[in-house]
Coordinates of all heavy atoms in Angstrom, one line a residue:
E1 N 134.7 40.3 226.1 CA 134.5 41.5 225.6 C 134.2 42.7 226.6 O 134.6 43.8 226.4 CB 133.4 41.6 224.5 CG 132.0 41.6 224.9 CD 131.5 40.4 225.6 OE1 132.1 39.3 225.5 OE2 130.5 40.5 226.3
I2 N 133.6 42.3 227.7 CA 133.2 43.3 228.6 C 134.3 44.1 229.2 O 134.3 45.2 229.4 CB 132.3 42.7 229.7 CG1 131.0 42.2 229.2 CG2 132.0 43.6 230.9 CD1 130.1 41.5 230.1
A3 N 135.5 43.4 229.5 CA 136.6 44.0 230.1 C 137.2 45.2 229.2 O 137.8 46.0 229.8 CB 137.7 42.9 230.3
F4 N 137.0 45.1 227.8 CA 137.4 46.2 227.0 C 136.7 47.5 227.3 O 137.2 48.5 226.9 CB 137.1 45.8 225.5 CG 138.1 44.9 224.9 CD1 137.9 44.0 223.9 CD2 139.4 44.8 225.4 CE1 138.7 43.2 223.3 CE2 140.4 43.9 224.9 CZ 140.0 43.1 223.9
F5 N 135.6 47.4 228.0 CA 134.7 48.6 228.3 C 134.8 49.0 229.7 O 134.0 50.0 230.2 CB 133.3 48.3 227.9 CG 133.1 48.0 226.4 CD1 133.1 46.6 226.0 CD2 132.8 49.0 225.5 CE1 132.9 46.3 224.7 CE2 132.7 48.7 224.2 CZ 132.6 47.4 223.8
T6 N 135.7 48.5 230.5 CA 135.8 48.9 231.9 C 137.0 49.8 232.0 O 138.1 49.7 231.4 CB 136.0 47.7 232.9 OG1 137.2 47.0 232.5 CG2 134.8 46.7 232.7
D7 N 136.9 50.7 233.0 CA 138.1 51.6 233.3 C 139.3 50.9 233.8 O 140.5 51.2 233.5 CB 137.7 52.7 234.2 CG 136.6 53.7 233.7 OD1 136.6 53.8 232.5 OD2 135.8 54.2 234.5
A8 N 139.1 49.8 234.6 CA 140.3 49.0 235.2 C 141.0 48.2 234.1 O 142.1 47.9 234.3 CB 139.7 48.3 236.3
A9 N 140.2 47.9 233.0 CA 140.9 47.1 232.0 C 141.3 45.8 232.5 O 142.4 45.3 232.2 CB 142.0 47.8 231.2
T10 N 140.5 45.1 233.4 CA 140.8 43.9 234.0 C 139.6 42.9 233.7 O 138.5 43.4 233.6 CB 141.2 43.9 235.5 OG1 140.0 44.6 236.2 CG2 142.4 44.8 235.7
R11 N 139.9 41.5 233.8 CA 138.8 40.6 233.6 C 137.9 40.6 234.7 O 138.2 40.8 235.9 CB 139.4 39.2 233.5 CG 140.4 39.0 232.3 CD 139.6 39.1 231.0 NE 140.4 38.9 229.8 CZ 140.0 39.0 228.6 NH1 138.8 39.5 228.4 NH2 140.9 38.8 227.6
T12 N 136.6 40.6 234.4 CA 135.5 40.6 235.5 C 135.1 39.1 235.9 O 134.3 39.1 236.9 CB 134.3 41.3 235.0 OG1 133.8 40.8 233.8 CG2 134.7 42.9 234.6
A13 N 135.7 38.2 235.3 CA 135.3 36.8 235.6 C 136.3 35.9 235.1 O 137.2 36.3 234.3 CB 133.9 36.5 235.1
T14 N 136.3 34.6 235.5 CA 137.2 33.6 235.0 C 136.5 32.8 233.9 O 135.4 32.3 234.1 CB 137.6 32.7 236.1 OG1 138.3 33.5 237.1 CG2 138.5 31.5 235.7
A15 N 137.2 32.4 232.8 CA 136.7 31.6 231.7 C 137.5 30.3 231.7 O 138.7 30.3 231.7 CB 136.8 32.3 230.4
R16 N 136.7 29.1 231.7 CA 137.3 27.8 231.7 C 136.6 27.0 230.6 O 135.3 27.0 230.4 CB 137.2 27.2 233.0 CG 137.8 25.8 233.1 CD 137.5 25.1 234.4 NE 137.9 25.9 235.5 CZ 139.1 25.8 236.1 NH1 140.1 25.0 235.6 NH2 139.5 26.6 237.2
T17 N 137.4 26.2 229.8 CA 136.8 25.4 228.8 C 136.2 24.1 229.5 O 136.7 23.5 230.3 CB 137.9 24.9 227.8 OG1 138.9 24.2 228.4 CG2 138.5 26.1 227.1
L18 N 135.0 23.8 228.9 CA 134.3 22.6 229.5 C 134.6 21.4 228.6 O 134.3 20.3 229.0 CB 132.8 22.9 229.4 CG 132.3 24.0 230.4 CD1 130.8 24.2 230.2 CD2 132.7 23.7 231.8
E19 N 135.1 21.6 227.4 CA 135.5 20.5 226.5 C 136.5 21.1 225.5 O 136.9 22.3 225.6 CB 134.3 20.0 225.8 CG 133.6 21.1 225.0 CD 132.3 20.5 224.5 OE1 131.5 20.0 225.3 OE2 131.9 20.7 223.3
E20 N 137.1 20.3 224.6 CA 138.0 20.9 223.7 C 137.2 21.9 222.8 O 136.1 21.6 222.3 CB 138.5 19.8 222.8 CG 139.5 20.3 221.7 CD 140.1 19.2 220.9 OE1 139.4 18.9 219.8 OE2 141.1 18.6 221.2
V21 N 137.8 23.0 222.6 CA 137.2 24.2 222.0 C 138.1 24.7 220.8 O 139.3 24.6 220.8 CB 136.9 25.3 222.9 CG1 135.9 24.9 224.1 CG2 138.1 25.9 223.5
E22 N 137.3 25.3 219.8 CA 138.0 26.0 218.8 C 137.7 27.5 219.1 O 136.6 27.9 219.1 CB 137.5 25.7 217.4 CG 138.1 26.4 216.3 CD 137.3 26.1 214.9 OE1 136.1 25.9 215.0 OE2 138.0 26.1 213.9
L23 N 138.8 28.2 219.1 CA 138.7 29.7 219.5 C 139.3 30.6 218.4 O 140.2 30.1 217.8 CB 139.4 30.0 220.8 CG 138.8 29.5 222.2 CD1 139.7 29.9 223.2 CD2 137.4 30.0 222.3
Y24 N 138.8 31.8 218.3 CA 139.4 32.8 217.4 C 139.7 34.0 218.3 O 138.7 34.6 219.0 CB 138.5 33.2 216.3 CG 138.2 32.0 215.3 CD1 137.3 31.1 215.5 CD2 139.0 31.9 214.2 CE1 137.1 30.0 214.6 CE2 138.8 30.9 213.2 CZ 137.9 30.0 213.6 OH 137.6 28.8 212.7
E25 N 141.0 34.4 218.5 CA 141.3 35.4 219.4 C 141.5 36.7 218.6 O 142.1 36.8 217.5 CB 142.7 35.1 220.0 CG 142.6 33.8 220.9 CD 144.1 33.5 221.5 OE1 145.0 34.1 221.0 OE2 144.1 32.8 222.4
L26 N 141.0 37.8 219.2 CA 141.1 39.1 218.6 C 141.7 40.1 219.6 O 141.1 40.3 220.6 CB 139.7 39.6 218.1 CG 139.6 40.8 217.2 CD1 140.2 40.4 215.7 CD2 138.2 41.2 217.0
G27 N 142.8 40.7 219.2 CA 143.4 41.7 220.1 C 142.6 43.1 220.1 O 141.7 43.3 219.3
E28 N 142.9 43.9 221.2 CA 142.1 45.1 221.3 C 142.3 46.0 220.1 O 141.4 46.7 219.8 CB 142.6 45.8 222.6 CG 141.7 47.0 222.9 CD 142.0 47.6 224.3 OE1 143.0 47.2 224.9 OE2 141.4 48.5 224.7
T29 N 143.5 46.1 219.5 CA 143.7 47.0 218.4 C 142.8 46.6 217.2 O 142.2 47.5 216.6 CB 145.1 47.1 218.0 OG1 145.9 47.5 219.1 CG2 145.4 48.0 216.8
Q30 N 142.9 45.3 217.0 CA 142.0 44.8 215.9 C 140.5 45.0 216.2 O 139.8 45.3 215.2 CB 142.3 43.3 215.6 CG 143.7 43.0 215.1 CD 143.9 41.5 215.0 OE1 143.8 40.8 216.0 NE2 144.3 41.0 213.8
F31 N 140.2 44.8 217.4 CA 138.8 45.0 217.9 C 138.3 46.4 217.5 O 137.2 46.6 217.1 CB 138.7 44.6 219.4 CG 137.4 45.0 219.9 CD1 136.2 44.3 219.6 CD2 137.3 46.0 220.9 CE1 135.0 44.6 220.2 CE2 136.1 46.4 221.4 CZ 134.9 45.7 221.1
Q32 N 139.1 47.3 218.0 CA 138.8 48.7 217.7 C 138.7 49.1 216.3 O 137.8 49.8 215.8 CB 139.9 49.7 218.4 CG 140.0 49.6 219.9 CD 138.7 50.1 220.6 OE1 137.8 50.7 220.0 NE2 138.6 49.8 221.9
R33 N 139.6 48.5 215.5 CA 139.6 48.8 214.0 C 138.3 48.1 213.3 O 137.7 48.7 212.5 CB 140.8 48.2 213.3 CG 141.0 48.6 211.9 CD 142.4 48.2 211.3 NE 142.6 46.7 211.5 CZ 143.8 46.2 211.7 NH1 144.9 47.0 211.8 NH2 143.9 44.8 211.7
L34 N 138.0 46.9 213.8 CA 136.7 46.3 213.3 C 135.4 47.1 213.6 O 134.6 47.2 212.7 CB 136.6 44.9 213.8 CG 137.3 43.8 213.0 CD1 137.1 42.4 213.6 CD2 136.9 43.8 211.5
Q35 N 135.4 47.6 214.8 CA 134.3 48.4 215.2 C 134.1 49.7 214.2 O 133.0 50.1 213.9 CB 134.4 48.9 216.6 CG 134.2 47.9 217.7 CD 133.9 48.5 219.0 OE1 132.8 48.5 219.5 NE2 134.9 49.0 219.6
F36 N 135.3 50.2 213.9 CA 135.3 51.4 213.0 C 134.9 51.0 211.5 O 134.2 51.7 210.9 CB 136.7 52.1 213.0 CG 136.7 53.3 212.2 CD1 136.3 54.4 212.4 CD2 137.4 53.1 210.9 CE1 136.3 55.6 211.6 CE2 137.6 54.2 210.1 CZ 137.0 55.5 210.4
E37 N 135.4 49.9 211.1 CA 135.3 49.5 209.7 C 133.9 48.9 209.4 O 133.4 49.0 208.2 CB 136.4 48.6 209.3 CG 137.8 49.2 209.3 CD 138.9 48.2 208.9 OE1 138.6 47.0 208.8 OE2 140.1 48.6 208.7
D38 N 133.4 48.2 210.4 CA 132.2 47.5 210.2 C 131.2 47.8 211.3 O 131.2 47.3 212.4 CB 132.4 46.0 210.2 CG 131.2 45.1 209.8 OD1 130.1 45.7 209.7 OD2 131.3 44.0 209.5
P39 N 130.3 48.8 211.1 CA 129.3 49.2 212.1 C 128.4 48.1 212.6 O 128.1 48.1 213.8 CB 128.5 50.3 211.5 CG 129.3 50.8 210.4 CD 130.2 49.6 209.8
S40 N 128.1 47.1 211.7 CA 127.2 46.1 212.2 C 127.9 45.2 213.3 O 127.3 44.6 214.1 CB 126.9 45.1 210.9 OG 128.0 44.6 210.4
F41 N 129.2 45.0 213.1 CA 130.0 44.3 214.1 C 129.9 45.1 215.4 O 129.8 44.5 216.6 CB 131.4 44.1 213.7 CG 132.4 43.6 214.8 CD1 132.3 42.3 215.2 CD2 133.3 44.5 215.4 CE1 133.2 41.8 216.2 CE2 134.1 44.0 216.4 CZ 134.1 42.6 216.7
G42 N 130.2 46.4 215.4 CA 130.2 47.2 216.7 C 128.8 47.2 217.3 O 128.7 47.0 218.5
L43 N 127.8 47.2 216.5 CA 126.4 47.2 217.1 C 126.1 45.8 217.7 O 125.5 45.6 218.8 CB 125.3 47.3 216.0 CG 125.1 48.8 215.5 CD1 124.3 48.9 214.3 CD2 124.5 49.6 216.8
A44 N 126.6 44.7 217.1 CA 126.5 43.3 217.6 C 127.2 43.2 218.9 O 126.6 42.6 219.8 CB 127.0 42.3 216.6
V45 N 128.3 43.7 219.0 CA 129.1 43.7 220.3 C 128.3 44.4 221.4 O 128.2 44.0 222.5 CB 130.5 44.3 220.1 CG1 131.2 44.4 221.5 CG2 131.4 43.3 219.2
M46 N 127.9 45.7 221.1 CA 127.2 46.5 222.1 C 125.9 45.8 222.5 O 125.6 45.9 223.7 CB 127.0 47.9 221.5 CG 128.2 48.7 221.3 SD 129.3 48.8 222.6 CE 128.2 49.6 223.8
R47 N 125.2 45.3 221.6 CA 124.0 44.5 221.9 C 124.2 43.4 222.9 O 123.5 43.1 223.8 CB 123.3 44.0 220.7 CG 122.6 45.1 219.9 CD 122.1 44.6 218.5 NE 121.1 43.7 218.7 CZ 120.5 42.9 217.7 NH1 121.0 43.1 216.5 NH2 119.6 42.0 217.9
T48 N 125.4 42.6 222.6 CA 125.7 41.5 223.4 C 126.2 42.0 224.8 O 125.8 41.4 225.9 CB 126.9 40.7 222.8 OG1 126.4 40.2 221.5 CG2 127.3 39.5 223.7

């Protein structure tokens, strides 16, 4: 999520799975819409 808030819009680190994982992917457009529609989600992201 941090890369969404940088001017360069690039990843600041590498992420690697340590075991089989279940992921849920959210695109930037959906991310922006969720922040607008659900303030509790936006606050949770900013706190993180």
Side-chain angles (χ1 to χ4, degrees):
E1 80 290 343
I2 292 180
F4 282 153
F5 298 93
T6 62
D7 292 333
T10 56
R11 296 295 184 188
T12 59
T14 300
R16 184 187 301 271
T17 59
L18 298 175
E19 58 192 48
E20 183 181 86
V21 300
E22 176 189 35
L23 292 176
Y24 294 86
E25 299 177 345
L26 194 68
E28 186 172 6
T29 300
Q30 290 175 306
F31 170 69
Q32 297 292 348
R33 187 170 62 209
L34 273 182
Q35 284 197 105
F36 176 77
E37 293 177 354
D38 189 348
S40 62
F41 171 75
L43 283 170
V45 171
M46 294 306 299
R47 288 170 64 187
T48 299

